[in-house]
Amino acid sequence: MKRSTWISLALAAPALAFGVCAQALESDKQQPTTIDANQMTYNEKSNVNVFTGNVLLTRGSLVIRGDKLTLTERSDGTQFATVEGKPARFKQQRDSETPNEVLLINGTGNTIEFDGNKSIVTLTGAASIQKSTNGQLTESISGTRITYEQNTEFLNVVGSPSSSGSSRVQAVIKPKTQSTEPAPEPKGGSK
């Protein structure tokens, strides 16, 4: 593989990283990708590019941080990325149909994997995903392992072990904002 291929591997990471999963900003796809790290190694024979030490990947509103980012290009041209950290983190703005509404998704896990072939994102080890609207938390899900199938929008969460030995998942979903119009007065009320 030539040098231009490892560069394309590095640039492919955001396509794997929550482009569909998070309903990311459409404009992010047109932005350049930057990967900063303390060190980079590339194995041409195995098509593996590894960035280590204070890894920071940015593309538009997408920000991924971790200790290590491994990008692998398979023989069929698909990519697989693994971000490791304590924890590894991602953040991305999502598209909104409401003007001036800012939708964000944040996720953490000791490992975040992106399978470009299957369009699957997996967070493991103290895994969590939070969605917010205009800075207010709207949804939060946590467990030991979170798998998101992008094409089907299927989410599977494996819970964290509890003190009783059972597995527990925690989800917090805030109610949607109610209308600001006052509720109608009840009919036939006493005076």
Side-chain angles (χ1 to χ4, degrees):
M1 181 175 4
K2 299 196 180 349
R3 179 180 171 164
S4 62
T5 305
W6 70 257
I7 292 172
S8 67
L9 272 173
L11 297 178
L16 297 168
F18 305 96
V20 177
C21 166
Q23 299 171 333
L25 288 178
E26 189 65 29
S27 61
D28 282 355
K29 295 176 185 176
Q30 307 304 318
Q31 300 298 314
T33 300
T34 302
I35 301 175
D36 290 313
N38 293 343
Q39 182 176 345
M40 182 196 92
T41 59
Y42 174 66
N43 184 326
E44 187 172 343
K45 196 170 199 172
S46 63
N47 294 331
V48 176
N49 198 354
V50 179
F51 297 87
T52 55
N54 297 313
V55 177
L56 171 63
L57 181 149
T58 58
R59 181 178 189 185
S61 71
L62 174 67
V63 177
I64 298 175
R65 295 179 184 275
D67 299 322
K68 181 178 179 181
L69 168 64
T70 305
L71 296 170
T72 304
E73 183 170 5
R74 299 176 180 133
S75 58
D76 65 357
T78 60
Q79 289 94 20
F80 187 87
T82 303
V83 181
E84 300 171 55
K86 299 248 184 253
R89 302 176 183 276
F90 78 88
K91 170 176 75 171
Q92 188 166 32
Q93 188 171 341
R94 301 177 293 140
D95 277 325
S96 174
E97 295 178 7
T98 305
N100 300 320
E101 182 176 59
V102 178
L103 304 175
L104 291 175
I105 185 165
N106 290 284
T108 61
N110 293 337
T111 303
I112 302 173
E113 296 176 337
F114 313 100
D115 187 330
N117 184 42
K118 297 178 182 176
S119 297
I120 294 176
V121 178
T122 304
L123 296 89
T124 55
S128 68
I129 292 178
Q130 299 84 34
K131 290 182 181 179
S132 63
T133 303
N134 295 331
Q136 298 297 312
L137 182 67
T138 57
E139 295 177 41
S140 177
I141 299 172
S142 61
T144 302
R145 180 180 178 98
I146 300 173
T147 303
Y148 184 82
E149 296 177 17
Q150 298 172 332
N151 295 334
T152 61
E153 296 188 23
F154 178 79
L155 183 71
N156 183 35
V157 182
V158 175
S160 301
S162 68
S163 58
S164 66
S166 63
S167 181
R168 305 289 293 168
V169 171
Q170 183 177 35
V172 177
I173 303 168
K174 303 251 177 154
K176 299 228 186 269
T177 305
Q178 300 288 327
S179 171
T180 57
E181 295 178 21
E185 301 240 351
K187 294 184 181 181
S190 59
K191 292 188 179 190

